[in-house]
Amino acid sequence: MAFTVSDVVPLTQARANLSELADQAKAGSEKIITKNGESYVALIDADRLDYYHRLEREHIHLLLIDDARRGLEDIAAGRTQDADAAIARLQKRRAGKVPPTHAVRKRD
């Protein structure tokens, strides 16, 4: 969404016109409130904020599904190792007991 000059409001002006700005936000306008000339907060309709949050959750779920898909591909390709052994190697490496060349294999 593109913002116009009227969508950018200094904090002092927002304080004086909050009711009007809230009505505009409820009608679909998004306002950027500035403080000392810098973006500070946004004023948007609560339903739109809820929609943005749902989109964010959906995006996170899609990322998790992609991670699971890549994990299943690693299993199918034999790019696996015992978790307890891998953790033990990492702990030894962190303690300086195993050189990095003996660390966990790189993934393809």
Side-chain angles (χ1 to χ4, degrees):
M1 175 178 185
F3 290 99
T4 65
V5 172
S6 64
D7 294 328
V8 179
V9 181
L11 183 59
T12 54
Q13 182 183 344
R15 277 189 197 123
N17 300 309
L18 183 58
S19 181
E20 178 184 329
L21 292 172
D23 289 341
Q24 291 173 14
K26 185 65 181 167
S29 179
E30 295 181 352
K31 302 294 181 181
I32 299 296
I33 313 271
T34 61
K35 184 175 182 181
N36 299 323
E38 300 287 329
S39 295
Y40 190 57
V41 296
L43 182 63
I44 64 170
D45 176 57
D47 291 334
R48 186 173 292 190
L49 178 63
D50 181 57
Y51 172 73
Y52 291 161
H53 285 191
R54 284 184 281 129
L55 283 178
E56 184 177 35
R57 282 191 302 273
E58 182 177 319
H59 178 71
I60 289 168
H61 291 153
L62 290 173
L63 290 174
L64 290 172
I65 289 169
D66 188 53
D67 284 346
R69 179 192 55 79
R70 285 186 286 125
L72 291 171
E73 288 174 357
D74 285 345
I75 291 168
R79 295 185 299 260
T80 62
Q81 53 187 295
D82 178 72
D84 291 333
I87 291 170
R89 280 194 302 275
L90 287 171
Q91 288 171 337
K92 286 180 184 176
R93 190 173 89 192
R94 287 183 183 153
K97 296 178 181 174
V98 177
T101 56
H102 296 92
V104 179
R105 270 188 293 155
K106 290 183 182 177
R107 291 174 65 174
D108 293 338

